[in-house]
Amino acid sequence: MRIREFFLILFIISCSSEKSKDQIYGIISSEPPSLDPALATDSVSYLILNNIMEGLTKFDENMNVVPGLAERWEILDGGRKFVFHLREAKWSDGKEITADDFIYGWKRLLNPKTGAEYGYFLYPVKGAMDFNTGRIKEIGIQAIDKKTILVELEEPIVFFPAMVAFMSTYPQRKDLVEKYGERWLYPPHGAYCGPFILKRWKRDYSIELEGNPFYYRPVSKKVKLFVVSDVSSAISLYKKNFIDYMGIPSFLLSHIKKGEFEGEIFSFPAFRGSYIGFNTKKEPFDSPLIRKAFAMAIDKNEIIKVIGTGIPANSWIPPGMFGHNPSIGLEFDPEKAKELLKESGKEIKEISLYYNYTPENHLIAQNIQEQWMRNLGIKVKLETMEWKAFLQMVKLSPPPAYRLGWAADYPDPDNFMTLFTSTSGNNHTEWKNERYDRLIELARSEPNLSRRLKLYNEAQKILVEEDVPIIPLFFNTNNYLVHPCIKNFNPGALDIISFYSVEKEC
């Protein structure tokens, strides 16, 4: 346990008298890198934003799209146009939520000056790509009146209502952004449209949420999230009843099951995948033969044994999601891997593998390091970084090889497959394939499921069998310790914790 973590635990324990039945206590593994919906990209930021903000739609516990700030919507012109009707709702400072708040937020996300990695998320909207690259000044979104929004798409998108539940599409307050920049949601000046407000943020200690008095449904509970990156510290807090729930890293799950937490362990199948990414412009991974060789030199079953849970992955669309096809992908074949390496004509003695440090990530990296040495005779230097610094490096100058994960923003294969299109701000492989891009474009507007499946099968083969800019490693489960007094705790496959639904009975 690090010194900071030790004193943090002591401080939390010393303040235990403030623990209340009306307040839910949990942990986050790190500070959220950004709470600006236009700039946030990670799961910690999404957890907070998902509770203090809201989009046109949202998901229920069964991942069905349900009304959010839009109380209803209409589909016109064969799915090329959507009309969203806003409910009567206010920001937490009492100001009315209007169509202009969404229009401003969407245009800010797409504004080239914002530099949003998720700018591509709105490319289905007519003119959005050209707007994002500075070629035009308007996009296909307009206010019919202050409570009605018309959205025009480039092509029909069968799952568009699910997309506008994601944080990048949340409304934004122009007056606050112009005054405070990317810190516009920070207390004490932030204004929120979700069930909670961000009451207090104590750096490196905690984030506190309180019910939004202007939310369209009553909220009386409070939430306090402690920043604890050390798993043993988190378990100690849980055992002493200072927190009500916590996520369990996969590598600890089998050990915990043998302990004293019977009936308090919950596992949810996750739309989340882990992968090795290659910078396809940097040696030695500028060669598809090299990338295939490294892919075929990893036995994914070994990784699962090391971390204790998960589903080995050769393809990219996760189990339980339409388009999942486990027959696609490169199988473990160390002899073939050596042949490909020899065929490439390159002599590789050592590479570096970059990743953000967590105990689980370190175990994964160590296993891959050992496998590549054993199966290819190549030394691997492990380079660990703090999460925020790692994200910045991967965004600005991706290293030749790095480990990342992806969790679904909405429950459709488009979200996994669009990630590696040439226009994706979250594609850090520098890989581009026109055929792949076209297949994904066709699939997102294809209403016939059998034809849509064929498109995804072909695209996946390009991604993980032919060009191989990534190596899928495994699909996750989300595992939690949850005290018996906590009810309605159901993050589901999207791993969305909605504190509004969570109840505490003791």
Side-chain angles (χ1 to χ4, degrees), residues 16-28:
S16 60
S17 59
E18 70 182 56
K19 197 169 187 295
S20 165
K21 178 183 175 181
D22 299 323
Q23 188 159 345
I24 297 168
Y25 297 84
I27 63 168
I28 49 178

Side-chain angles (χ1 to χ4, degrees), residues 56-112:
L56 292 169
T57 63
K58 56 186 177 181
F59 298 106
D60 66 13
E61 63 275 8
N62 297 313
M63 289 187 299
N64 297 312
V65 180
V66 297
L69 289 176
E71 60 184 358
R72 61 186 176 90
W73 55 90
E74 302 159 22
I75 305 173
L76 307 175
D77 194 15
R80 284 181 172 83
K81 294 180 180 178
F82 288 78
V83 178
F84 294 93
H85 300 271
L86 300 183
R87 66 173 76 244
E88 291 298 326
K90 295 180 179 180
W91 294 90
S92 59
D93 61 358
K95 186 176 180 180
E96 184 180 22
I97 298 172
T98 69
D100 286 338
D101 295 324
F102 282 94
I103 294 172
Y104 173 75
W106 288 21
K107 286 185 174 180
R108 180 169 176 258
L109 179 74
L110 289 165
N111 190 325

